[in-house]
Structure formats: structure tokens, C-alpha cells
Amino acid sequence: MRLRALLETDALGLRLLGGEDELDRSVRGVMTTDLRDPSRYLTGGELVLTGLAWRRDAADSEPFVRILTGAGVAGLAAGEAELGEIPGDLIEACERHHLPLFAVHETVAFATITEYVVRQVSGERAGDLAAVVDRHRRLMTSGPAGGGPEVVLDLLGSDLDLHAWVLSPTGRQIAGAGAPLPGPVGPTLAGHHLAATRTGRRGPHRATVDGVTYSLFPIRNTGRGAAPASRDVRESVLSDWLLAVEADAGDWPAARLDLLQGVTQLIAVERDRRDAARTVRRRLAQEVLELVQTGAAPAEIAARLRVAAPVLLPGLGTAPHWQVVVARVDWGAEGAPDSTGGPVTSGIAGGPVAQALLEEILVDPAVTGPDSADRIAVAHTGDEAIALVPLPARAASPADATDLPEAGDAGGAATAKDDPALHADALLATVREPLSAGLADDGRLTLGVSAAVHSPEGLRGALEEARHARRVAAARPGRVCAAGHHELASHVLLLPFVPDDVRRAFTARLLDPLRDYDRRHRAELIPTLEAFLDCDGSWTRCAARLHLHVNTLRYRVGRIEQLTGRDLSRLEDKLDFFLALRMS
């Protein structure tokens, strides 16, 4: 039954206080509770009845509603007998979390509502129960444990004529029945799903891409034996898989929605099984990391690497080269820095979130399947995730590795046949858009990549190099930022650590006169200055790039020098302008 039906039954005495847009939610059961944390007794889809005995003051409403939302309940009905009226703080908390809230008149017993809901739900299910049970039986016997997610998706196609795909939080296709999704569709759908999840809306979420409508179902194990549900959606939003179905589920009957929920549960169990298989790789990475950080002897580190190499690269005869990647996810008030220059903390453990996310980022986005991360070992310490990535062939020298690939090159695997090394920019090329949606206004992902090393002695330096590159990335604007080892040998290393007030004073002194002139006269002095410096002061090349006569270019440069009192023929003044442009 739908929540809307409760309002249409006068005998129940319910009054809607909020959540009118969510009244089409399906009710699959009812529960009465006055526990402050009833999550262990919830499975999702319940109408929760409460007499508000758990509420001692206004601060109790927010955590109670957050727990109900995390458990996936359909709605909340609060009795008026205890307090006379429903507190405003509870109404506001339900509005923030998009949880429908009803007031129960003091003359109506909770038993009356419970009996009505149970009778209605049982009656509606009776007609379709045989078909649903039969499909579930087939899914359970033929599902993930017997052939992977593809078997479940094939049954959806054969039974319900539904095309569906399992996607990672970055939009990488993990499983699918039939043709794969077109290239950019997966990341776009993942971005829609992450953005909707961050707003607190319950799935399935509806998205239209290139004229095709998809319904997006979260894949989360809520059955018995599952890990406790996250109290804060940010703890899992960047690691959960999703099921994309090519259909609009808005008008589906409850039986079909129940079936799809069952499908997501099956795939979630498979996801948990795959995660458990990563335990060995994570443990190897943790052991090597602890040896490196405690200054263990190179011979001891080399021994652990010899153990790790066959696990991460089966069939490889000798120990490969290695790269270190460091990632950090920070949550706070709009990602703003605190008074010490660090991020505002939210109490969420950043290490496990960054670990799961880094394991996904380091997979080549062109590779499908849940087992494609077998060569990635990621540990976490504190709020950092640290990946130990083996290179199957000798990497290019550090000097050669400074030649970055094009932005569209693939991430986790080799970016060129003769250079399997990872590059910071390429790692984020396809994942920046969906992850930015999941980070919303209060999260940041920063990532640093070291150069390749070929000996245990080099791992400690590679770790520090990756950490320093991540700090350089953290000093840049944007929700998702990365920096590589090649940037640590230039002015880029210094600029992020110049105090903000010094930056503002330096750039204002040099560039504000030009900006003011450009605003008044539309003279484009700033673009001209950038092009002139980029062309190393060559009049001919700069004029050709800007499609100007060289005399016009000379006039503009002369105006720049006149407004700033600088001489662009002098190296010192060129350098000052260059730095001012980079810092702005």
C-alpha cells in the first residue's frame, strides 16, 4: 500500500505535517517504538509509530529522524497524547530528511493503525505473492553465488523485459545484461544518483540522459547479517554500487518494486563477498606501509614486496616497480578551512571512505567487472588512504614520466604501451563529475601520485612524495583535485603555500590596474599578457596566436607596461607577472 492511502481513511485520524511529495512511498509493514535508536529492528519500508517518549529535548529529534531515514522507513506517525502537539523540531528534522510525518490524534490507538496497515499490506501482496516468490527463488538459486550479477540481470531481462546495469559510484560498469551503456552515460547516471542521495531522497531516483529514462536503485545490504547501516550518508555514498534500470519506476506496482529491492539485496551480498576478497590485498598494503613508516630495513620491506607481487600480479616472475598514491576525503562546512588552515572536521572517519574510493579510482574505467581491482592494494591510516600500485613493466624514468597524457586518457591502467605509470590528471579524467556530485558542498577529495620506484629503499621517499603532492592538490580550488610528482620540482610546489594575504596583495598590485582597464575599455590586456608570456615574449608567435597585427600587440604590451610600471623585456618583471597570473 501507499502512504497516501492512510490519509484517505478517516478512521485512522492521521494528519499530514510534512512530506506531501513523498506520499507515493510503499508501506511494507508497521512498527511501534519509543526507543532512541530502533535501527536494529527496522528492515526498510515500515510506517513507524511513536508516542515520543524517547524525546527529552529538541536536540533528540535530529538523530532519531536520521536513524529512521538511514534504515529506509516509509514514514513516521507521532502520537499527540504525550505532548499535546507534535514538536516543531521534529517537524523540521523530518523536512530536512524528506521523511513524511503524520500526527496521530490522541483518540486513535496505535493498535488500530497497526491492524489496518497489516491487513492492507497482506491483502495487496496476496495476489502477486506466488509470482514474486517464484522469481525470488530463481534469483536465489541462480544469482550471484552461482554466476555473478549478470545472472540476476539476465533474469530481469527474460522475466520483466528490463535492461539493467550495475554501476560503481564513478559510473564504471560492473555488470550488465546485453549491450553496455554508451561511454559517458554511466558517469552521468552515477552523478545523478550521488546528488540525489546527498539530498536525502530515497531511491529509486529518476534520471533522463539523451532522451532515455533510467531508474536508479541503491545497492545496499540491509538484510540479516549485514553491516550496521551508516548513521551518516557520507560514510557510504562514495562507495555504494547502484542498479540502473532502463525504465521509469514511478508507476510500478508494489510487487515489481519489491522484486527490484530483492535484486539489489542479492547484488549487495555479492558486493560484500567481493569486498571480503580484497582483505588479503588490503592487509599486504597495510603491512608494507607499517614497515615503511617505521623505518624497517630495506631487506624486510623487500621480503614483503616479494609476497605481495604474486598476489597483485599473478604470473609475474620478478618484483615490479611500484608507485604510491595518497588520497584524502575531508568533510566539513562547505569544505572551508578552519583557523589553522586545515579542513573543518565532521567526525566522519575519512580513512575508510578514501580507501574504498581510491580502490575504485585506480581501476581502468574502460574495464568492466567487479574483479578488475585485483592489482590494487590500498591501506588506510588516520584520514589517509595509501595505495601501493605495482607496475607490470619497467616504468619510464621520472624525467620521462613528466610528460602527462591527454585529459581523456584512461586512468588506472597504462596510459601508453611503453609507460604503464599512473598520472595524476588522467586518474580523475572520467570520475571528477560524478564524485563532485557525491561530495556536494561539504566534501573534498585530494590525491597525490609519486614517481615510480624500483627498490624498497625508494618506497619511503615515494610515500612522502605522494603525500606532499596531495598537499599541493589540497591548496587548489575545486572539489576533486590531484597533483603528481612532476609538479614538485617547479614553482607549483611553492605557490600553494604562500599565505593568502600575501597572494592577494601581490596579485592586486600587478593585475588590478589591468583588470580595471579591461572592464572600462574591453581591451583584453590580461589575455594578451597571458599569451605573451606563454609565447616566451615572441612578438610574432603571440600576434599569430591572438590573430593580431604585431603593431597592435606592441600597443597593448606598451599599455600594460604603462599601467603597471613594469618592463616586459626584463626577466624579473616577466617572472613577477607569471607568478601573479598563476596565483590568481
Side-chain angles (χ1 to χ4, degrees):
M1 65 173 296
R2 306 282 180 173
L3 282 175
R4 190 179 304 280
L6 297 173
L7 288 175
E8 298 169 353
T9 306
D10 295 336
L12 299 182
L14 296 181
R15 180 164 50 91
L16 182 66
L17 299 180
E20 185 175 359
D21 294 338
E22 304 289 339
L23 291 180
D24 286 327
R25 292 184 180 184
S26 296
V27 180
R28 299 184 179 89
V30 62
M31 176 192 177
T32 300
T33 183
D34 274 312
L35 295 174
R36 296 167 69 86
D37 182 1
S39 57
R40 72 183 68 182
Y41 305 110
L42 297 169
T43 59
E46 296 93 346
L47 173 67
V48 174
L49 306 176
T50 180
L52 300 178
W54 51 266
R55 183 185 178 277
R56 297 168 187 165
D57 55 46
D60 292 336
S61 293
E62 171 67 24
F64 181 77
V65 173
R66 186 169 63 244
I67 289 169
L68 297 187
T69 304
V73 304
L76 174 64
E80 294 179 323
E82 180 76 17
L83 301 177
E85 63 180 14
I86 308 304
D89 48 88
L90 179 60
I91 297 173
E92 292 171 1
C94 289
E95 287 178 351
R96 281 194 296 273
H97 291 276
H98 304 279
L99 180 66
L101 175 63
F102 302 89
V104 183
H105 194 271
E106 60 182 4
T107 60
V108 178
F110 282 175
T112 301
I113 300 174
T114 300
E115 181 182 353
Y116 177 83
V117 171
V118 170
R119 187 169 60 249
Q120 292 297 316
V121 170
S122 299
E124 288 182 3
R125 287 181 175 173
D128 297 314
L129 186 58
V132 172
V133 168
D134 179 63
R135 288 188 179 116
H136 273 77
R137 186 182 300 113
R138 290 173 59 197
L139 290 172
M140 290 299 295
T141 57
S142 306
E150 287 83 358
V151 175
V152 180
L153 302 184
D154 284 339
L155 284 174
L156 283 181
S158 61
D159 278 23
L160 301 178
D161 195 26
L162 292 176
H163 301 290
W165 302 264
V166 177
L167 304 178
S168 77
T170 66
R172 182 176 60 86
Q173 182 172 315
I174 292 168
L181 285 170
V185 173
T188 301
L189 291 177
H192 279 291
H193 175 74
L194 291 174
T197 302
R198 285 304 311 274
T199 64
R201 303 206 320 266
R202 292 183 60 193
H205 307 125
R206 184 177 180 274
T208 301
V209 181
D210 296 334
V212 180
T213 299
Y214 300 87
S215 294
L216 310 176
F217 294 80
I219 294 176
R220 197 173 299 126
N221 192 354
T222 58
R224 292 182 179 179
S230 300
R231 297 285 183 92
D232 193 315
V233 69
R234 294 175 294 183
E235 294 179 1
S236 59
V237 66
L238 297 178
S239 58
D240 286 342
W241 290 355
L242 66 134
L243 177 68
V245 181
E246 189 179 321
D248 188 346
D251 298 325
W252 282 3
R256 178 168 287 203
L257 286 172
D258 283 344
L259 178 59
L260 265 293
Q261 294 296 339
V263 168
T264 63
Q265 287 294 291
L266 290 170
I267 298 174
V269 172
E270 174 72 358
R271 166 69 189 269
D272 290 346
R273 187 181 71 81
R274 304 294 175 115
D275 280 348
R278 289 184 174 181
T279 303
V280 173
R281 297 194 300 276
R282 287 177 171 179
R283 186 170 65 246
L284 285 172
Q286 196 72 44
E287 291 173 355
V288 174
L289 175 63
E290 290 174 358
L291 291 174
V292 170
Q293 293 193 126
T294 57
E300 188 176 0
I301 299 175
R304 298 309 302 161
L305 290 177
R306 282 194 294 273
V307 172
V311 175
L312 300 178
L313 289 175
L316 191 68
T318 57
H321 290 53
W322 304 87
Q323 275 183 284
V324 176
V325 182
V326 174
R328 179 173 173 131
V329 175
D330 291 300
W331 302 103
E334 297 188 353
D338 63 19
S339 58
T340 65
V344 176
T345 57
S346 61
I348 300 173
V353 178
Q355 181 182 42
L357 190 54
L358 190 53
E359 286 173 333
E360 171 61 27
I361 290 174
L362 291 174
V363 179
D364 185 341
V367 175
T368 61
D371 288 327
S372 53
D374 283 345
R375 60 182 284 259
I376 298 163
V378 183
H380 73 81
T381 174
D383 287 331
E384 281 185 337
I386 301 169
L388 187 67
V389 183
L391 304 180
R394 183 175 181 84
S397 67
D400 295 335
T402 59
D403 295 328
L404 290 177
E406 294 297 321
D409 287 348
T415 54
K417 289 183 179 179
D418 57 350
D419 181 11
L422 302 172
H423 297 283
D425 288 356
L427 284 175
L428 301 181
T430 60
V431 304
R432 181 175 275 106
E433 181 179 349
L435 293 185
S436 295
L439 292 164
D441 293 330
D442 59 350
R444 286 200 77 203
L445 165 67
T446 51
L447 183 145
V449 182
S450 78
V453 295
H454 64 280
S455 66
E457 293 89 341
L459 276 180
R460 185 176 181 85
L463 175 58
E464 290 307 313
E465 189 174 60
R467 280 176 167 161
H468 203 86
R470 191 207 65 78
R471 288 193 290 270
V472 170
R476 296 171 174 167
R479 290 288 163 203
V480 181
C481 298
H485 63 91
H486 62 285
E487 299 183 59
L488 304 186
S490 74
H491 65 280
V492 177
L493 172 64
L494 303 175
L495 293 186
F497 305 103
V498 177
D500 287 343
D501 54 347
V502 176
R503 283 169 173 262
R504 286 191 291 267
F506 182 74
T507 57
R509 186 166 57 251
L510 279 176
L511 301 182
D512 279 2
L514 306 182
R515 290 174 178 144
D516 292 341
Y517 190 87
D518 280 349
R519 276 195 297 268
R520 293 196 310 270
H521 303 284
R522 300 182 181 179
E524 297 188 353
L525 295 186
I526 292 288
T528 300
L529 175 62
E530 291 174 333
F532 186 73
L533 295 175
D534 197 39
C535 292
D536 298 323
S538 168
W539 298 97
T540 315
R541 282 192 290 126
C542 183
R545 173 181 293 190
L546 297 174
H547 305 289
L548 298 174
H549 191 280
V550 71
N551 288 339
T552 304
L553 175 62
R554 290 185 186 277
Y555 172 80
R556 289 187 182 180
V557 170
R559 180 63 68 182
I560 293 171
E561 293 174 335
Q562 180 185 21
L563 292 170
T564 61
R566 298 299 185 105
D567 183 355
L568 277 169
S569 66
R570 297 177 68 246
L571 177 61
E572 296 89 340
D573 288 343
K574 286 180 181 177
L575 181 58
D576 282 350
F577 276 123
F578 176 78
L579 293 174
L581 289 168
R582 292 303 296 264
M583 286 192 291
S584 65

